[in-house]
Amino acid sequence: MLETTGRMFLGTTSRVIVTTILAFVIAVNGSRRLGAFDIVFDPSNYSQNLLTAARTLEQINNQIRSLQNQAQSLLNQSKNLASLPTSVVGQLTSTIDQMNTLIGQAKNLSFDVQKTQQDFERIYPRQYATAVSSDKMVQDATSRWDNSYDGLKQSLTLQSAIVGSLDQDGQTLRTLMANSSAAAGSLQAQQSGNELLALQIKQSLQAQALMATQARADTLRAAEQQASSAAAKERFNRFIGDGHAYTSGK
């Protein structure tokens, strides 16, 4: 709009100046005869006046071109400050929130450091003391099995969520590439680059979350086997006793 206005101004001003010069020339030629007296035509003065008018027109043209350049500069600045018409930040944030919610649904042994240490020492002991009842060992074994089951279930659930978002990520990538190609200014190009980076970070976070839940499930299974071995050893010792019951009497 600024560029169009500058061009209109240039065309109108030029026509006005040309019209003024022609009127000046006609007035000079037409006034050579006034009443009964002849007016002497001075070519030098006429040329000087015409040159002055031409220089004035050139100055005005330069001013108009300067205004046009300023208008174009303002137009470029407005493009550089134009933000993207669409954004996928909300969509990426929603997916990350969903992933965090799935991770937060960890049952029994959570991802909290202090609570995990306390629960692990209680449910997965290195060895069982003789004072621990058989019922307590059975209860701990049941808790360990539940933890392993929930760990595997959470890992599979997160895997399904990530795989389910692959099609959406593909569409998001196509949208971001289209926005990047059609970027009108530096701000739009920068925003497109930032959102492409956000998509990459989101996928990296998903991969890290999947690795964490998978490693948690594997660790729970290994810890279950270790604790079960300790419990089995204690039960065996209790079954054998001190060996006197199996000593043949004399």
Side-chain angles (χ1 to χ4, degrees), residues 103-120:
I103 295 177
Q105 292 176 354
K107 297 180 180 179
N108 301 317
L109 283 180
S110 64
F111 286 96
D112 181 80
V113 176
Q114 184 175 0
K115 188 175 184 304
T116 298
Q117 290 177 343
Q118 295 174 353
D119 292 341
F120 190 85

Side-chain angles (χ1 to χ4, degrees), residues 56-143:
T56 302
L57 176 60
E58 181 64 22
Q59 291 178 357
I60 293 177
N61 288 336
N62 292 335
Q63 292 176 359
I64 292 175
R65 281 191 289 268
S66 177
L67 290 175
Q68 284 182 321
N69 293 334
Q70 293 179 13
Q72 185 63 43
S73 176
L74 292 174
L75 181 61
N76 293 335
Q77 291 179 15
S78 66
K79 289 181 179 179
N80 289 333
L81 294 176
S83 60
L84 287 173
T86 59
S87 176
V88 297
V89 173
Q91 173 185 326
L92 296 178
T93 302
S94 176
T95 305
I96 294 176
D97 291 341
Q98 178 189 11
M99 179 183 63
N100 291 334
T101 300
L102 292 176
I103 295 177
Q105 292 176 354
K107 297 180 180 179
N108 301 317
L109 283 180
S110 64
F111 286 96
D112 181 80
V113 176
Q114 184 175 0
K115 188 175 184 304
T116 298
Q117 290 177 343
Q118 295 174 353
D119 292 341
F120 190 85
E121 293 175 358
R122 176 177 54 86
I123 304 176
Y124 301 86
R126 289 179 179 271
Q127 62 182 14
Y128 277 95
T130 56
V132 178
S133 65
S134 298
D135 291 340
K136 178 64 169 63
M137 287 191 289
V138 172
Q139 181 181 356
D140 289 348
T142 303
S143 298

